[in-house]
């Protein structure tokens, strides 16, 4: 869904379309320069013939590593200047040779009586630039840079320089665009990003674009999007003997079939994350529990409206099942209080609130079915600040109870709250939902399982997480 | 009085006037073990075999004639038209053969720059093309015009003529007169007739297949002196003959041929196929400088619809 054509890469495509002629892609080896340049080339094949000039990639290897390039980069357009030539030849000769090979592509008249397609312009990716200019003095280097960029002008084409060198000041001044690919690490997970340094004629609003690879192609992460869809009733996913399904097949797959029974799940949510990001995590899981005649006991954030939760659930589940098996513990507004929606505001201190909470737990467990418990502890901590010790104790008590009864517990907290430290220690699996360069990610901190960009996919009729892994 | 002007190129060499040895345009070369020519203008290689195929298809042929029952010629045209229409959605430009014909025309005129040339002038345009342009999407309209222009250009060449220029849905051709004016006039009239038959039997059936509307043409023919001039980089013809032809052709009905009185005089027996316009409303308000009388225009008795 979020291919490079779809989202944030559009600024690069537009940069190419408005008539610019040259681009420098800088970055260390393995940072994705080649993939990015080929992906850009792929979007320009309607008007351009793509050429890839390389020192060490045989055409067949290029197609092995990047099989998706076969359709627009024929073998004859992969021009190899061999290592021997690079070692034994004068750099000036190599430059001349390279220009000759590009210009030496003769087209032939196939059918003299058939309308000719408008000739395509050359889109040249220079993977060999660093090797060619390695022995050049600064003056000669500038001359070579001008010569090659003028080649793009002469043929009305586009040239992409790929360079591992950090210092490229003269070339950076000469070209129309400069971008850098980089790797960085977030909690041991490797993230990739494109840094937009200069794009002539473009207004750069976001200078960094996080990306990953999917099937060898570049994949731009997007900020938090909601994909809407037609209503379709939730179809429960069976639980296995030892695991509860998350209600989301792709999430189950990441966890090896769901959460083990008796698991304590801790979710750390960074303050700048879209508050809605947690809903697609939780809702399919609750729906799956309730559809299997299990129960859910949920303590909402103080400012959340229980009605909106019920609105999400009610189309997918019988009213009777909701009545029997769901309890939402929250601050009620107006007449929202009901058998399902319980008012936390009635309790003056945490002790009485917790007592009431345990009472509902016992009541729901009378049917001997499994239960999903969810508590947002950062809001409990906010609501009962003077009872912090009791809250921390209750957290531990709850985890013990859940493990013993082989139920499932989700506890959430946020940085700056003391409940976060206890949550981290007490949970079996620690998720972190965070923002990076404007995109929302979820990763597992304990144990290290995956790190993915997340979106809300409602195309099945209810919100669920859509994952795009980072590689 | 007609004074035949003999073209050095046209007179001394057969079609295509030794163009293969024109160093300004072609270099003999071998590409992928095939002998041929590198076209310096188009930056393309054409094999000797393909070049010969082009020449064979375009060279003048006195016996060439489109007959409704001649399936070989009509099928060949249809195949070519279908092939070109299949590129309707693509970003295309003229075929190589059309560019070659245009080069031949320019080369001939350039060789006699600023001289007078006696030629038969032929105007052809698509009837009600404004309606087509306003109802068809631009890519379909350009495909229609491209196919029309290519096919009539081939016919003009087969009848010893040259395309002077295209103007949207219209084309202007000239047929240089070397010695026998009657033959050349007859060639131009045959060409006009072939154009109508081409449209009826090959172009319109193909257009129908591709969902394009059928077209009809009007053709005007006159003979006389014109001067070769350069307006910009390309040669052009100016003079009373080309001007009068532009006034004559709109008098024809769709699928009809209109000829000026100078052509009519050269036709001898073939003139029986034409009758003079009598209606005052259709008469041209000009005087023939050769006769000092009202300029007479003749319309073909046959309507080629």
């Amino acid at each position: 869904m979020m291919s490079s054509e779809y989202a944030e890469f559009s600024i690069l495509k537009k940069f190419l379309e408005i008539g610019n002629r040259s681009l420098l892609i800088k970055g260390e080896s393995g940072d994705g320069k080649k993939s990015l340049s080929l992906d850009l080339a792929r979007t320009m094949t309607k008007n351009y013939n793509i050429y890839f000039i390389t020192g060490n990639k045989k055409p067949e290897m290029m197609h092995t590593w990047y099989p998706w390039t076969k359709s627009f980069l024929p073998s004859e357009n992969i021009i190899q200047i061999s290592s021997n030539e690079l070692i034994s030849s004068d750099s000036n000769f190599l430059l001349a040779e390279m220009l000759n090979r590009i210009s030496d592509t003769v087209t032939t008249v196939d059918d003299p009586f058939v309308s000719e397609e408008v000739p395509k312009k050359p889109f040249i990716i220079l993977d060999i630039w660093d090797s060619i200019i390695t022995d050049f003095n600064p003056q000669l280097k500038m001359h070579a840079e001008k010569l090659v960029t003028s080649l793009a002008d002469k043929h009305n084409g586009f040239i992409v320089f790929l360079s591992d060198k950090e210092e490229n000041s003269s070339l950076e001044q000469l070209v129309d665009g400069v971008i850098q690919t980089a790797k960085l690490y977030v909690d041991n997970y490797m993230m990739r990003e494109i840094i937009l340094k200069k794009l002539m004629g473009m207004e750069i609003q976001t200078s960094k674009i996080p990306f990953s690879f999917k099937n060898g192609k570049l994949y731009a992460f997007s900020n938090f999007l909601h994909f809407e869809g037609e209503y379709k009733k939730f179809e429960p996913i069976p639980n296995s003997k030892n695991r509860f399904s998350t209600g989301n097949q792709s999430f189950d797959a990441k966890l090896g079939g769901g959460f083990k029974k008796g698991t304590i799940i801790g979710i750390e949510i960074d303050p700048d994350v879209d508050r809605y990001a947690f809903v697609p995590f939780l809702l399919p899981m609750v729906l799956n529990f309730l559809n299997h005649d299990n129960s859910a006991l949920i303590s909402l954030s103080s400012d959340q409206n229980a009605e909106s939760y019920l609105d999400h659930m009610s189309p997918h589940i019988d009213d009777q099942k909701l009545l029997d098996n769901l309890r939402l513990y929250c601050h009620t507004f107006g007449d929202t209080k009901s058998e399902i929606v319980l008012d936390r505001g009635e309790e003056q201190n945490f002790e009485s609130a917790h007592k009431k909470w345990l009472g509902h737990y016992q009541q729901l467990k009378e049917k001997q079915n499994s239960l999903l418990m969810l508590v947002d502890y950062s809001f409990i901590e906010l609501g009962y600040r003077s009872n912090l010790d009791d809250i921390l104790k209750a957290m531990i008590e709850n985890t013990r109870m859940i493990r013993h009864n082989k139920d499932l517990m989700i506890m959430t907290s946020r940085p700056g709250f003391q409940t976060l430290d206890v949550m981290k220690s007490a949970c079996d699996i620690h998720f972190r939902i965070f923002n990076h360069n404007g995109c929302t990610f979820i990763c597992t901190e304990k144990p290290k399982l995956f790190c993915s960009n997340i979106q809300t996919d409602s195309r099945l009729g209810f919100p669920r997480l859509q994952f795009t892994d980072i590689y | 009085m007609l004074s035949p002007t003999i073209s050095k190129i046209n007179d001394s060499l057969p079609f295509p006037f030794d163009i293969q040895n024109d160093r300004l345009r072609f270099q003999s070369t071998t590409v992928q073990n095939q002998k041929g020519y590198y076209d310096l203008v188009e930056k393309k290689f054409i094999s000797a075999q393909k070049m010969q195929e082009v020449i064979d298809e375009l060279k003048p042929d006195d016996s060439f004639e489109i007959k409704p029952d001649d399936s070989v010629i009509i099928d060949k045209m249809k195949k070519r038209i279908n092939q070109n229409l299949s590129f309707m959605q693509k970003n295309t430009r003229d075929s190589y053969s059309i560019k070659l014909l245009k080069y031949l025309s320019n080369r001939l005129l350039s060789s006699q720059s600023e001289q007078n040339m006696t030629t038969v002038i032929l105007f052809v345009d698509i009837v009600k093309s404004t309606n087509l342009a306003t109802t068809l999407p631009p890519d379909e309209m350009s495909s229609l015009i491209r196919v029309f222009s290519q096919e009539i250009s081939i016919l003009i060449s087969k009848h010893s003529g040259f395309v002077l220029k295209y103007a949207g849905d219209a084309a202007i051709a000239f047929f240089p007169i070397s010695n026998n004016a009657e033959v050349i006039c007859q060639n131009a009239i045959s060409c006009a007739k072939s154009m109508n038959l081409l449209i009826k039997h090959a172009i319109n059936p193909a257009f129908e297949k591709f969902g394009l509307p059928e077209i009809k043409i009007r053709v005007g023919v006159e003979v006389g002196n014109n001067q070769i001039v350069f307006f910009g980089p390309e040669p052009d013809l100016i003079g009373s003959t080309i001007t009068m032809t532009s006034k004559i052709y709109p008098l024809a009905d769709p699928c009809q041929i209109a000829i000026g009185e100078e052509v009519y005089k050269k036709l001898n027996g073939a003139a029986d196929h034409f009758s003079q316009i009598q209606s005052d409303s259709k008469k041209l308000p000009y005087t023939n400088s050769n006769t000092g009388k009202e300029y007479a225009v003749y319309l073909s008795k046959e309507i080629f619809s």
Side-chain angles (χ1 to χ4, degrees):
Chain A
M1 189 70 193
M2 286 159 290
S3 72
S4 57
E5 284 169 51
Y6 178 73
E8 279 67 10
F9 285 142
S10 58
I11 189 172
L12 295 176
K13 199 179 169 204
K14 203 168 176 188
F15 165 78
L16 301 178
E17 287 170 349
I18 62 171
N20 284 302
R21 293 265 177 268
S22 51
L23 176 70
L24 167 64
I25 304 181
K26 300 194 321 179
E28 290 178 13
S29 182
D31 278 1
K33 297 186 296 297
K34 270 191 276 294
S35 297
L36 173 60
S37 63
L38 289 165
D39 205 36
L40 288 174
R42 182 174 64 86
T43 64
M44 304 303 290
T45 50
K46 189 180 173 194
N47 298 318
Y48 288 89
N49 269 330
I50 315 300
Y51 297 92
F52 192 88
I53 302 176
T54 177
N56 53 2
K57 313 288 185 302
K58 288 187 174 169
E60 56 270 29
M61 286 315 292
M62 280 293 292
H63 286 158
T64 304
W65 292 329
Y66 307 98
W68 48 278
T69 62
K70 279 182 195 169
S71 60
F72 62 87
L73 184 63
S75 297
E76 61 269 23
N77 286 14
I78 302 171
I79 300 167
Q80 190 195 10
I81 295 178
S82 69
S83 313
N84 285 343
E85 283 176 288
L86 281 171
I87 294 165
S88 61
S89 304
D90 175 57
S91 296
N92 271 319
F93 169 78
L94 284 177
L95 190 63
E97 180 69 4
M98 191 186 75
L99 298 178
N100 281 342
R101 290 193 197 179
I102 297 169
S103 306
D104 198 27
T105 46
V106 177
T107 52
T108 57
V109 177
D110 294 326
D111 188 335
F113 292 96
V114 169
S115 302
E116 294 176 345
E117 279 198 61
V118 172
K120 291 184 175 180
K121 299 172 275 187
F123 187 108
I124 304 157
I125 300 169
L126 271 180
D127 185 31
I128 200 174
W129 188 244
D130 288 345
S131 308
I132 286 179
I133 58 164
T134 191
D135 295 331
F136 283 10
N137 63 40
Q139 203 177 359
L140 206 55
K141 183 168 162 269
M142 277 183 72
H143 175 71
E145 288 164 354
K146 283 182 182 167
L147 194 66
V148 176
T149 46
S150 70
L151 184 77
D153 274 335
K154 184 183 164 194
H155 293 280
N156 202 19
F158 194 90
I159 194 152
V160 182
F161 297 87
L162 305 184
S163 176
D164 292 351
K165 293 185 191 304
E166 180 58 34
E167 170 53 37
N168 263 310
S169 55
S170 59
L171 185 58
E172 285 186 30
Q173 284 181 16
L174 202 61
V175 293
D176 298 328
V178 180
I179 58 180
Q180 187 168 359
T181 51
K183 289 193 289 270
L184 68 156
Y185 291 88
V186 178
D187 294 328
N188 280 339
Y189 289 105
M190 189 177 74
M191 307 279 278
R192 293 171 186 273
E193 63 187 15
I194 293 165
I195 303 160
L196 307 177
K197 296 199 155 188
K198 164 183 160 185
L199 293 175
M200 296 290 277
M202 304 304 299
E203 197 175 314
I204 300 175
Q205 289 179 334
T206 310
S207 61
K208 291 182 178 177
I209 305 173
F211 74 95
S212 184
F213 291 107
K214 192 166 188 182
N215 300 327
K217 284 185 203 173
L218 240 68
Y219 216 69
F221 294 129
S222 179
N223 52 15
F224 200 58
L225 298 174
H226 303 264
F227 299 103
E228 295 299 329
E230 292 294 312
Y231 167 75
K232 190 178 168 190
K233 194 163 182 179
F234 176 81
E235 285 182 20
I237 301 172
N239 295 318
S240 65
K241 189 183 169 191
N242 297 318
R243 288 177 186 265
F244 293 115
S245 169
T246 60
N248 178 341
Q249 279 177 332
S250 54
F251 199 5
D252 282 351
K254 288 185 175 303
L255 298 166
F259 290 110
K260 276 185 187 167
K261 293 180 177 175
T263 298
I264 310 299
I265 304 156
I267 303 179
E268 176 184 353
I269 305 172
D270 278 11
D272 54 349
V273 169
D274 186 329
R275 296 204 58 201
Y276 194 74
F278 184 54
V279 175
F281 183 110
L282 174 68
L283 193 74
M285 212 181 295
V286 177
L287 287 174
N288 212 53
F289 260 78
L290 298 179
N291 270 294
H292 287 301
D293 278 325
N294 291 321
S295 312
L297 178 59
I298 298 171
S299 171
L300 297 174
S301 312
S302 309
D303 59 343
Q304 279 179 319
N305 186 356
E307 286 294 312
S308 67
Y309 265 79
L310 288 174
D311 286 346
H312 275 308
M313 289 182 212
S314 56
H316 300 284
I317 197 154
D318 301 340
D319 287 350
Q320 193 59 46
K321 276 189 181 175
L322 278 177
L323 195 62
D324 292 346
N325 299 326
L326 177 67
R327 294 293 176 267
L328 295 175
Y329 206 54
C330 61
H331 286 270
T332 57
F333 303 91
D335 58 355
T336 53
K337 191 177 165 186
S338 67
E339 279 185 78
I340 299 173
V341 181
L342 311 168
D343 189 4
R344 185 164 54 202
E346 289 171 355
E347 311 309 322
Q348 294 306 309
N349 56 52
F350 178 73
E351 192 184 355
S352 60
H354 185 55
K355 203 172 168 185
K356 195 170 173 182
W357 173 260
L358 290 176
H360 288 296
Y361 176 77
Q362 298 300 342
Q363 192 190 5
L364 289 170
K365 286 295 286 180
E366 278 172 9
K367 288 183 287 178
Q368 303 289 312
N369 290 337
S370 299
L371 180 139
L372 169 67
M373 178 186 283
L374 175 112
V375 188
D376 188 329
Y377 277 110
S378 45
F379 280 91
I380 297 281
E381 191 177 333
L382 266 180
Y384 303 100
R385 243 177 256 197
S386 56
N387 306 122
L388 184 60
D389 285 351
D390 294 336
I391 295 169
L392 300 179
K393 270 185 211 165
M395 284 175 82
I396 304 297
E397 241 176 73
N398 280 338
T399 59
R400 202 182 302 127
M401 187 170 69
I402 294 292
R403 283 201 179 96
H404 179 266
N405 293 335
K406 297 216 175 291
D407 290 325
L408 195 66
M409 180 175 191
I410 301 172
M411 47 170 91
T412 65
S413 190
R414 292 164 174 78
F417 289 88
Q418 292 193 39
T419 47
L420 180 65
D421 289 337
V422 177
M423 185 194 87
K424 281 183 184 176
S425 321
C427 70
D428 302 307
I429 179 163
H430 172 199
F431 287 94
R432 186 178 155 217
I433 302 177
F434 63 97
N435 271 1
H436 176 71
N437 287 339
C439 300
T440 307
F441 292 84
I442 188 167
C443 69
T444 56
E445 299 264 322
K446 177 183 87 172
K448 295 282 181 197
L449 295 177
F450 64 88
C451 186
S452 302
N453 174 232
I454 50 171
Q455 311 295 336
T456 298
D457 185 355
S458 295
R459 282 170 296 185
L460 288 180
F462 58 92
R464 63 186 183 129
L465 282 181
Q466 178 179 290
F467 301 89
T468 309
D469 288 347
I470 64 168
Y471 291 102
Chain B
M1 182 171 170
L2 297 173
S3 55
T5 305
I6 299 170
S7 152
K8 285 175 193 168
I9 292 173
N10 203 7
D11 193 46
S12 57
L13 294 163
F15 183 91
F17 323 118
D18 203 24
I19 193 174
Q20 304 96 310
N21 292 318
D22 180 346
R23 292 294 171 88
L24 292 174
R25 180 83 188 206
F26 291 106
Q27 276 179 355
S28 291
T29 185
T30 302
V31 169
Q32 291 171 347
N33 296 325
Q34 275 195 307
K35 286 187 175 176
Y37 310 94
Y38 182 70
D39 187 323
L40 297 165
V41 175
E42 291 300 317
K43 296 192 173 86
K44 276 177 181 269
F45 171 79
I46 180 163
S47 68
Q49 187 195 340
K50 284 218 161 64
M51 180 65 107
Q52 194 54 50
E53 284 172 21
V54 178
I55 293 166
D56 290 344
E57 187 63 24
L58 300 177
K59 73 180 175 192
D61 179 356
D62 291 340
S63 63
F64 181 81
E65 194 179 353
I66 296 180
K67 294 176 188 164
D69 55 352
D70 188 344
S71 62
V72 175
I73 288 181
I74 288 175
D75 286 351
K76 191 177 179 184
M77 287 172 162
K78 274 186 183 171
K79 189 180 169 192
R80 195 164 57 210
I81 293 165
N82 285 336
Q83 215 172 348
N84 278 306
L85 286 175
S86 67
F87 290 103
M88 194 143 62
Q89 305 299 333
K90 290 190 178 171
N91 193 9
T92 54
R93 58 182 191 176
D94 288 340
S95 69
Y96 189 77
S97 59
I98 293 305
K99 289 176 192 161
L100 202 66
L101 282 175
K102 193 77 188 80
Y103 180 67
L104 284 174
S105 168
N106 285 353
R107 187 166 169 260
L108 170 64
L109 293 176
S110 301
S111 72
Q112 301 172 63
S113 177
E114 306 302 328
Q115 291 182 36
N116 275 336
M117 188 184 208
T118 304
T119 64
V120 178
I121 298 288
L122 180 150
F123 264 70
V124 53
D125 94 329
I126 298 174
V127 179
K128 292 184 179 172
S129 60
T130 311
N131 286 354
L132 293 176
T134 52
T135 52
L136 287 177
D139 56 342
E140 291 186 11
M141 185 66 190
S142 65
S143 285
L144 183 149
I145 297 290
R146 202 183 293 286
V147 163
F148 167 75
S149 302
Q150 163 151 319
E151 294 307 316
I152 62 163
S153 301
I154 294 169
L155 284 185
I156 289 164
S157 184
K158 290 203 88 66
H159 287 90
S160 309
F162 298 85
V163 172
L164 177 66
K165 63 173 97 170
Y166 303 102
D169 64 315
I172 307 168
F174 65 97
F175 297 74
I177 290 179
S178 49
N179 42 28
N180 192 336
E182 183 186 346
V183 171
I184 303 299
C185 287
Q186 190 55 57
N187 271 350
I189 302 288
S190 297
C191 182
K193 187 179 166 186
S194 294
M195 285 176 178
N196 276 293
L197 294 170
L198 160 82
I199 285 166
K200 183 178 177 182
H201 297 292
I203 288 186
N204 279 339
F207 278 6
E208 188 185 2
K209 194 173 155 191
F210 282 84
L212 294 171
E214 71 167 26
I215 58 169
K216 291 177 179 175
I217 54 167
R218 274 186 299 234
V219 189
V221 183
E222 182 56 304
V223 62
N225 278 328
N226 292 284
Q227 192 178 10
I228 302 165
V229 292
F230 274 83
F231 294 128
E234 296 209 334
D236 202 349
L237 291 172
I238 59 164
S240 60
T241 309
I242 199 162
T243 307
M244 285 312 299
T245 318
S246 72
K247 307 294 178 194
I248 288 168
Y249 86 89
L251 300 176
D253 282 332
C255 311
Q256 195 176 32
I257 303 164
I259 61 172
E261 66 176 281
E262 295 300 332
V263 168
Y264 183 80
K265 285 178 198 167
K266 301 287 169 204
L267 288 181
N268 293 327
D272 292 345
H273 298 291
F274 292 86
S275 56
Q276 190 177 353
I277 291 177
Q278 299 297 339
S279 163
D280 286 344
S281 63
K282 275 198 158 186
K283 282 181 181 173
L284 287 180
Y286 305 105
T287 304
N288 188 333
S289 57
N290 289 331
T291 62
K293 292 180 183 173
E294 178 185 274
Y295 208 105
V297 177
Y298 298 79
L299 297 174
S300 62
K301 292 175 183 170
E302 190 175 357
I303 303 286
F304 301 94
S305 59

